[in-house]
Amino acid sequence: MIGNLKPLEILLIIAVIVLLFGAKKLPEMARSLGKSARILKSEAKAMKKDGEAEDAAAAATAADPAQQPVAPRTIQAAPGDVTSSRPVSEPNRTTQG
């Protein structure tokens, strides 16, 4: 659908956005959108790493059930964003064999 837009239609949409939000608010909105995208990207990477680490830990636990690595989990913030990093509070996970 977006690929079917003609240049005049795109300009009309941009003009409506500028009229609705004002030229002063647009850079601020773009900045916050970029920051949100960076945070989402870092969260996705962290979840992927956690999944890979859990798979490796499950394989290691299956090979040696006496050894169970426990590491605290934290949510990583985007570079330069120190307000959104926070520890993850979750109950202690125990594996049942």
Side-chain angles (χ1 to χ4, degrees), residues 4-94:
N4 296 337
L5 292 177
K6 297 177 181 127
L8 184 60
E9 293 169 341
I10 294 173
L11 288 175
L12 182 63
I13 291 171
I14 291 172
V16 168
I17 290 173
V18 169
L19 288 174
L20 285 176
F21 297 108
K24 291 183 180 181
K25 285 284 186 178
L26 289 178
E28 182 182 324
M29 290 171 52
R31 239 178 264 118
S32 65
L33 182 65
K35 187 182 281 189
S36 299
R38 282 193 303 270
I39 292 171
L40 180 66
K41 185 177 178 182
S42 67
E43 293 289 332
K45 282 183 181 179
M47 289 176 68
K48 187 175 181 181
K49 278 186 176 181
D50 285 347
E52 290 172 358
E54 287 175 4
D55 290 344
T61 304
D64 186 11
Q67 185 181 29
Q68 293 183 356
V70 177
R73 293 181 50 200
T74 58
I75 295 176
Q76 301 270 330
D81 183 22
V82 295
T83 60
S84 65
S85 64
R86 60 194 181 279
V88 176
S89 59
E90 55 183 37
N92 291 338
R93 291 183 278 166
T94 58

